[in-house]
Amino acid sequence: MSAGRPVEGAAFEGFVAGGAATTLPSQFFVELLPAIDDEAELRVTLYALYAIGRQRGPLRAVRASDLAAEAPLRRALAPCGGDDALAPAIERAVARGSLLTLALDEGETLCFVNNEVGRRSLDRVRSGAATLPEGARLAASRPEPAALDPSGPARVYEQEIGLLTPSTSGALAAACERYPEEWVTDALHEAARNNARSWAYAEAILRRWEREGKDEGSRSTRDASAQGAAARAARDHGPYERVIRRG
């Protein structure tokens, strides 16, 4: 995201007393915010949390078309590609795990927050226990996409990172279309070795390899490891190492 851009227009005059408040979970600032590296995704995620949070009734969700009609969000996306940035930003938020979506007919999408309330609402809609927004219908069922090779990224993800969710499965499939499958599995292994067990971290590795070249990125990692080993060896005092450290 760009930094240091001058502020345009009139300065914000401050929050008014008694204004409506939007509550964000602390996890957003601690876990999610540091991981989001796309400006449009950040703006859409924040606005979706606000828009869904102001919903009333049993269904806490918002249609993508309703988000597209929100004037504040359209202004927020103007520097990031305008209206065309909305759909890719939602897809990125779903791949990251902050939002959940459900396909409706006529290309429409229903968005939920990936929290307990959102997951329960999504399950209720799928089962028919919850009513969709007026005029909305579930999309006709489509054939399931071909499963990923069980010896490939999907299996490696479950071995190294954790349970494979539908959104992560889609992100893996998209990554395998963009990068060689070997890159995807190697990125998952490297994320696990670095004790950063998340798809967002593995995806960042793939982007780095795309920019710098996979061999260069791997060589940098190996060099750093070798330097660390050399430093440890230089400090090694043999059998007296523990005594020296305690002293």
Coordinates of all heavy atoms in Angstrom, one line a residue, residues 6 10 19 22 48 54 58 60 74 76 85 96 124 126 132 135-136 142 153-154 156 177 186 211 246:
P6 N -0.2 12.7 0.0 CA -0.9 13.9 0.6 C -2.4 13.7 0.8 O -3.0 13.1 -0.1 CB -0.5 15.0 -0.3 CG -0.2 14.4 -1.6 CD 0.4 13.1 -1.3
A10 N -10.9 18.7 2.3 CA -10.9 19.3 3.6 C -10.5 18.3 4.6 O -10.8 17.1 4.6 CB -12.4 19.8 3.8
G19 N -22.3 9.8 18.2 CA -22.5 9.2 16.9 C -22.5 7.7 16.9 O -22.0 7.1 17.9
T22 N -19.2 1.6 15.3 CA -19.0 0.3 14.7 C -17.9 -0.5 15.5 O -16.8 0.1 15.7 CB -18.6 0.4 13.2 OG1 -19.6 1.0 12.5 CG2 -18.3 -1.0 12.6
A48 N -17.2 -3.7 4.6 CA -18.2 -4.9 4.7 C -18.5 -5.1 6.2 O -19.6 -5.4 6.6 CB -17.6 -6.1 4.1
R54 N -24.4 -3.3 10.7 CA -25.6 -2.4 10.9 C -26.9 -3.1 10.4 O -28.0 -2.5 10.5 CB -25.5 -1.1 10.1 CG -25.5 -1.2 8.6 CD -25.1 0.1 7.9 NE -25.4 0.0 6.5 CZ -25.0 0.9 5.6 NH1 -24.3 1.9 6.0 NH2 -25.2 0.7 4.3
P58 N -32.4 -11.6 11.7 CA -31.7 -12.9 11.8 C -30.6 -13.1 10.8 O -29.6 -13.8 11.1 CB -32.7 -14.0 11.7 CG -33.8 -13.3 10.8 CD -33.8 -11.9 11.2
R60 N -27.5 -11.7 9.1 CA -26.4 -10.7 9.1 C -25.5 -10.9 7.9 O -24.5 -11.6 8.0 CB -25.6 -10.8 10.4 CG -26.5 -10.6 11.7 CD -27.2 -9.2 11.7 NE -28.0 -9.0 12.8 CZ -27.6 -8.4 14.0 NH1 -26.3 -8.0 14.0 NH2 -28.4 -8.3 15.0
R74 N -17.7 3.5 -2.7 CA -17.3 3.8 -4.1 C -16.2 4.9 -4.1 O -15.2 4.8 -4.9 CB -18.5 4.2 -4.9 CG -19.5 3.1 -5.1 CD -20.6 3.5 -6.1 NE -20.1 3.6 -7.4 CZ -20.9 4.0 -8.5 NH1 -22.2 4.3 -8.3 NH2 -20.4 4.1 -9.7
A76 N -14.2 5.4 -1.6 CA -13.0 4.8 -1.1 C -12.2 4.0 -2.1 O -11.0 3.9 -2.0 CB -13.4 4.0 0.1
A85 N -12.7 -2.7 -8.8 CA -11.9 -3.3 -7.7 C -12.7 -4.0 -6.6 O -12.1 -4.8 -5.8 CB -11.1 -2.1 -7.0
R96 N -8.5 -14.9 2.2 CA -7.8 -14.6 3.5 C -8.5 -15.2 4.7 O -7.9 -15.5 5.7 CB -7.5 -13.1 3.7 CG -6.4 -12.8 4.7 CD -6.1 -11.4 4.7 NE -5.6 -10.9 3.4 CZ -4.4 -11.1 2.9 NH1 -3.5 -11.8 3.6 NH2 -4.1 -10.7 1.7
R124 N -27.4 -21.6 7.9 CA -28.9 -21.6 8.0 C -29.4 -21.3 6.6 O -30.5 -21.8 6.2 CB -29.4 -20.5 9.0 CG -29.2 -21.0 10.4 CD -29.6 -19.9 11.4 NE -30.9 -19.3 11.1 CZ -32.0 -19.8 11.5 NH1 -32.0 -20.9 12.2 NH2 -33.2 -19.2 11.3
R126 N -27.9 -22.0 3.7 CA -27.7 -23.2 2.8 C -28.7 -24.3 3.1 O -29.2 -25.0 2.2 CB -26.3 -23.7 3.1 CG -25.2 -22.9 2.4 CD -23.9 -23.5 2.8 NE -22.8 -22.9 2.0 CZ -21.5 -22.9 2.4 NH1 -21.2 -23.4 3.5 NH2 -20.6 -22.3 1.6
L132 N -33.6 -15.6 2.6 CA -32.7 -14.7 1.8 C -33.3 -13.3 1.7 O -34.5 -13.1 1.9 CB -32.5 -15.3 0.4 CG -31.5 -16.5 0.3 CD1 -31.6 -17.1 -1.0 CD2 -30.1 -16.1 0.7
G135 N -36.1 -11.0 -3.1 CA -35.8 -11.1 -4.5 C -34.5 -11.9 -4.8 O -34.2 -12.2 -5.9
A136 N -33.9 -12.4 -3.7 CA -32.6 -13.2 -3.9 C -32.9 -14.7 -4.0 O -33.8 -15.1 -3.2 CB -31.6 -12.9 -2.9
R142 N -23.8 -26.2 -9.1 CA -22.9 -26.5 -10.2 C -22.1 -27.7 -9.8 O -21.9 -28.0 -8.7 CB -22.0 -25.3 -10.4 CG -22.8 -24.0 -10.7 CD -21.9 -22.9 -10.8 NE -22.6 -21.6 -10.9 CZ -22.0 -20.4 -10.8 NH1 -20.7 -20.3 -10.5 NH2 -22.7 -19.3 -11.0
P153 N -0.7 -29.8 -3.3 CA -0.9 -28.7 -2.3 C -2.0 -28.9 -1.2 O -1.8 -28.5 -0.1 CB -1.3 -27.5 -3.2 CG -0.7 -27.8 -4.5 CD -0.8 -29.3 -4.7
A154 N -3.1 -29.5 -1.6 CA -4.2 -29.7 -0.6 C -3.7 -30.5 0.5 O -3.9 -30.2 1.7 CB -5.4 -30.3 -1.3
V156 N -0.6 -31.2 1.4 CA 0.5 -30.5 2.1 C 0.0 -29.5 3.0 O 0.5 -29.3 4.1 CB 1.5 -29.9 1.1 CG1 2.6 -29.0 1.8 CG2 2.2 -31.0 0.3
E177 N -3.1 -22.3 -10.6 CA -3.3 -21.8 -12.0 C -2.3 -20.8 -12.3 O -1.8 -20.6 -13.4 CB -4.7 -21.3 -12.2 CG -5.8 -22.3 -12.1 CD -7.2 -21.8 -12.3 OE1 -7.2 -20.5 -12.5 OE2 -8.2 -22.5 -12.3
D186 N 6.1 -26.0 -2.1 CA 7.4 -25.5 -1.4 C 7.1 -24.3 -0.5 O 7.7 -24.2 0.5 CB 8.4 -25.1 -2.5 CG 9.0 -26.3 -3.2 OD1 8.8 -27.5 -2.7 OD2 9.7 -26.2 -4.2
R211 N 8.4 -12.2 -8.0 CA 9.1 -10.9 -8.3 C 10.6 -11.2 -8.5 O 11.3 -10.6 -9.4 CB 8.9 -9.9 -7.1 CG 7.6 -9.4 -7.0 CD 7.6 -8.2 -6.0 NE 8.2 -8.5 -4.8 CZ 7.6 -9.0 -3.7 NH1 6.3 -9.2 -3.8 NH2 8.2 -9.3 -2.6
R246 N 25.1 -19.7 31.9 CA 24.5 -19.5 33.3 C 25.3 -18.4 34.0 O 24.8 -17.7 34.8 CB 24.6 -20.8 34.1 CG 23.5 -21.8 33.7 CD 23.3 -22.8 34.8 NE 24.5 -23.5 35.1 CZ 24.8 -24.7 34.6 NH1 24.0 -25.2 33.7 NH2 25.9 -25.3 34.9

